[in-house]
Amino acid sequence: MEQSRTREESARRIGPYRLITRLDPPGPAVPFRRFIARTSDGERTVLLNAPLSGADPARFVAEADAGRRLLGPWIAPVTDLSSPGETPWYATPYLPLLPLPVALAVHGGPLPEATVRAVGAALAEALAAAHAQGLTHAGVSPAAVLLTADGPRLTCFGAVRAAAADGEPRTGLPGLDPGALAPEQASGGRPRPPGDVYALGSVLAYAATGHTVPERDELPPALRPVVSSCLARDPADRPTAADVMAALAPPTPHRTVLNSAGALLAPGWLPGRVVAALARQSSELLAAELPTDTSSRT
Amino acid sequence: MLSPLTHDDPATVATYRLLARLGSGGMGTVYLARTPGGRTVALKTVHARLATDPAFRSRFRLETDAARIIGARHGAAVVDADPLAETPWLATEYVLGPPLDEAVALGGPLPEPTVRALGAALAGALAQLHSSDVVHRDLKPSNVLVTAYGPKIIDFGIARAAGDDHLTRTGAAAGTPAFMSPEQASGEEHTPAGDVFALAGVLVFAATGHGPFGTGSPADLLYRVRYADPDLTGVPESLLPLLTACLAKDPTSRPTTGTLTDHLHDGHGDFADHLPPLLLSDIARRATDVWLHTPHRLPAPAESATTATVPSTPLSRRRLLSAGGGALIGLAGAGGGVWAWLGSRNTPESDGGTPAPTGPTAIPASTAADGSPVALWTGTSLDREEATTQLLAGDVVGFAETVSFRALNQKDGRELWSDGMVMDPRQITTDGTSFYASDGTYEGPGALQIRTLDPRTGKETGPQIVIKGFDGSNSGTELLTASGGMLFAASRRGKKESDPDANETGWHLIAVNLRTGKEAWREPYEWDGVRPWLSQVAGSRLILGKNSGDLDSFLVQAREVQTGRQLWQRRLPLKDSANFIPGQLAIDERHAYFGGDRLRALRLTDGGVAWEYGSGSGTTSYGVPAVSDGIVYAHENRDAPGLLAVTADFGVRRWTESPSGRSLTPDFFAAPVVGEKYVYAPVRGGLNAIDLITNRSAWVFPTDARRFVIDKERSRIIGAGKTSVVAIPFA
């Protein structure tokens, strides 16, 4: 598939995990190499992240470590991390999941407005929580959003910071989705919460139209104001993540303070073909068998 | 769906490590299991006792072959099998989708596009099977798994090669009457056209929620399948001609599977496009839950050495009468217990061993790891039906079991006496001082006859009470409760009839004055397929509760103790109401409390709803409650199920059980008992003691008992289960 297979890939191993499959189809805008992998005893299946070849391993590890502070229902938790000196990687427990671009591909086009709204509200909620904690995600992009049966999971924490140090221009760097990169970050600015909101706007635009920089009239009318305001060039003109959440999930009498986006994730929030693809992935990974004799397959 | 392993499940079968139980029945157990390489499969094993039967091994092998023939697209992919192993096993893919009957139970009848897509895919699957000269013979909703990519047909337990009849002649095979073909019902050859008939029945079920020939006893169903017109009420009009043709009595006039595929669906879109949201979300949940499962094994019950003992006695006729055929089918949704029970009925001797003598067992002082107390005494019991709660009279505890009534000393568990005349649990009751037992043969003496028994000796302590004019048979009489010198019973007027329908009329509630032995009053009441079975005197009122004939609601009524006059009646929605263990009404001075879709308090004065707790949204439900000192306790079925405590006056939440790290499965049909330090909540495999201060599980006492009472001295809790009885210290 890929031209440049690294040594550990051809050995089909990273850290204590044996690789089963790649998560993403070939494409430029994924900040890490992502695999579904399993421990040698067959017990634990994980989503494994490793840096792109040529990326700075130290910054990758620093971001992975910082990402452990990020928790919540819409965050894929970092539960396992490479030891110092090892080829860097980190792992999160596996659940059936589809990167947003894959979900659009299997659905056959932009997602229904109800799906976009539910995904957007959940992501806005996750970002609002991170911002309240003093964390800027700096990795929001369509590929960073994984859809699972019960809602999205935000991944790729710190991808923008890992790609290049502050002060260096970030345009055209491998793995960064140009459409999801806020102008101030592209020019080398330190990632701050308004940059996450810009990226969130681009993710919603992507989910609703199929591209991160849509024509204004491509967007569903009900989503137009909120998405457009997120994509404002001037960070000061953008809403906060909490504003976006309130716009996407208007308060109802039943809503509690916590987990308000969950109300939008009622049965039917995911289109049938996306559910089918999740079930197929689950089924294929249940059926996946690691060769018990390692030497015979390398 | 995924249940913990039990203590006697093996750790491995062949090279597979067992992770969870998926289901269990008369034939064997299905596990979720994993290979050393991490492949996860459904592993079906056969009971060792069946595996010794060569005919059964042939069937199992045939099932394996049929599963291979139908293949991964229309069936569950076969991973591996060993029909020759000591415990034969079959490993297939773990299919991510609900059986069709569960899918319909979950979201109601399916919309027409779903039914069409399902039908076309099933017809295609049958075509493939038939082209390999295999007929399924047992196509029914529970054998069709609905995945996101189409239905999968499973369970070829009675599939056979066309023309090969020898397995049928062994008597091992039988279809399901509700979806059988008329030729199968007549004992004739079931050809591919028979599968078409069954397929149409499955589609009628999918579209309407009922089979084309309804429900009822197997004999009724067989008759209707052969002679009655199908009931197609609710079937979308455009499907009527095709399904009617498939349900023709003459096999030769039914359409072929090819015609069905062509007429049902034009092939547009993906299968998932045609699925309703609830079904999709159930599939997505199954696809995800299997990855969240942590393997867990239940502890051994206290009496594991005696659990192998199973009574080889016929089942009470009465249980079958009171539940009715349709009711049993309804119960299947409650879990594996029903299937295990039905399975053991078919082979009553099968679990081996002779019934152990019932009596106390000295328990060595053991050190339970989690600090649960040592049992004060234990004993065995033979109580497959668990039809009543144990009766306390003085310092004696009475167990009305499958075929006898046994009185035990509460202090040491010694058996004081037993009474073989009491064949049915509903023939005996107590007022806390004496036991009262009704006598009557199956035919009935034509009178209600009641003996008064001394609790310590079992001897009659007074003249027999005789009330003439009632049929008096043990299926036509039920002693409800006794209090304040009055005994309350239900019985029917007239003689026992040979026609079962006739025995449903003429039912009365009767009050007997225990001092004079005379009838105090009688009031007719509507049978509705089930007799009252919960009863309690509260002040001047007799409170009665029973499940309704359709099992979807629960009727509560209050009558004046002195006159029998009905004060009020109320119907509450309560699914699976027949699963509640009789004898457990939660009543205090002001209210009666009930679980179900909500936790409810009814005022004793007028039957009005004093309060309701819970949203009633269908995502939560509540178990049988208990009330003590102004607090109502019930299991709440929520994301993390556990015990809930609310105030008895206004239904305000006080606390919910805090997670303890234990993985416990609450028993929603058995009532908690409330102690001073703990509230004791029945969970699968044991009794969970929840500390009233920390609101956290302190320990779990392993036992198969599900019914618990506190003795009069409040020093011990006495539990009764299918195979054991136990007393543990009360705290």
Side-chain angles (χ1 to χ4, degrees), chain B residues 17 62 68 78 112 118 126 137 144 151 184 202 206 235 310 458 481 483 490 570 617 660-661:
Chain B
R17 250 169 334 99
L62 192 59
R68 284 200 161 113
V78 175
E112 184 181 337
L118 199 62
L126 287 179
R137 303 185 89 242
V144 174
Q184 202 175 6
V202 167
V235 172
V310 164
T481 188
S483 174
R570 187 158 195 103
S617 62
S660 64

Side-chain angles (χ1 to χ4, degrees), chain B residues 416-674:
Chain B
L416 299 168
W417 53 273
S418 71
D419 187 324
M421 299 267 286
V422 180
M423 295 284 290
D424 187 288
R426 295 177 186 84
Q427 278 178 271
I428 190 154
T429 191
T430 182
D431 57 2
T433 308
S434 301
F435 292 118
Y436 304 93
S438 79
D439 291 342
T441 60
Y442 180 66
E443 294 304 324
L448 176 57
Q449 306 179 151
I450 298 165
R451 287 177 296 149
T452 304
L453 305 177
D454 180 282
R456 292 205 68 93
T457 62
K459 298 263 188 318
E460 294 189 35
T461 59
Q464 191 174 52
I465 297 167
V466 178
I467 309 226
K468 293 210 169 68
F470 291 92
D471 89 359
S473 67
N474 55 18
S475 65
T477 306
E478 178 172 9
L479 300 193
L480 301 174
T481 188
S483 174
M486 300 268 274
L487 179 139
F488 305 91
S491 194
R492 61 172 289 278
R493 297 280 295 159
K495 259 206 82 55
K496 171 98 177 168
E497 306 285 346
S498 52
D499 171 11
D501 289 344
N503 288 324
E504 299 193 0
T505 60
W507 280 84
H508 285 71
L509 290 166
I510 306 148
V512 180
N513 184 317
L514 289 167
R515 270 188 306 281
T516 63
K518 296 274 189 294
E519 179 179 324
W521 50 260
R522 76 175 65 162
E523 287 283 327
Y525 82 92
E526 201 186 332
W527 162 269
D528 197 19
V530 276
R531 278 153 296 152
W533 40 245
L534 289 178
S535 50
Q536 191 162 321
V537 173
S540 61
R541 298 181 188 86
L542 173 67
I543 310 295
L544 297 166
K546 66 169 184 167
N547 55 303
S548 62
D550 61 10
L551 300 181
D552 273 347
S553 59
F554 191 79
L555 277 175
V556 192
Q557 56 173 244
R559 289 175 181 268
E560 233 169 51
V561 162
Q562 290 304 323
T563 65
R565 187 170 65 93
Q566 182 170 310
L567 299 167
W568 51 263
Q569 172 162 304
R570 187 158 195 103
R571 188 180 281 268
L572 301 172
L574 187 58
K575 291 259 181 235
D576 297 326
S577 55
N579 284 12
F580 283 62
I581 293 170
Q584 299 174 334
L585 269 185
I587 291 179
D588 61 14
E589 304 75 38
R590 291 203 284 170
H591 303 140
Y593 305 92
F594 300 91
D597 60 337
R598 292 182 167 93
L599 191 59
R600 283 188 181 80
L602 297 190
R603 283 190 297 273
L604 295 180
T605 50
D606 62 0
V609 174
W611 52 260
E612 292 181 325
Y613 180 91
S615 63
S617 62
T619 54
T620 51
S621 60
Y622 300 87
V624 178
V627 59
S628 177
D629 287 335
I631 304 287
V632 179
Y633 303 89
H635 271 130
E636 185 179 31
N637 195 3
R638 49 178 187 257
D639 294 346
L643 201 75
L644 164 79
V646 302
T647 62
D649 48 3
F650 300 115
V652 177
R653 194 182 83 147
R654 290 290 288 270
W655 52 268
T656 50
E657 184 179 349
S658 308
S660 64
R662 296 173 211 275
S663 173
L664 302 174
T665 307
D667 186 339
F668 289 94
F669 298 118
V673 293
V674 186

Side-chain angles (χ1 to χ4, degrees), chain A residues 100-128:
Chain A
L100 191 57
V102 176
L104 263 76
V106 298
H107 179 61
L111 299 176
E113 188 183 322
T115 310
V116 178
R117 204 171 260 283
V119 169
L123 295 177
E125 186 173 52
L127 289 174

Side-chain angles (χ1 to χ4, degrees), chain B residues 61-85:
Chain B
R61 179 169 229 166
L62 192 59
E63 170 170 7
T64 306
D65 291 347
R68 284 200 161 113
I69 285 169
I70 196 161
R73 179 156 171 228
H74 297 303
V78 175
V79 175
D80 201 359
D82 188 354
L84 299 177

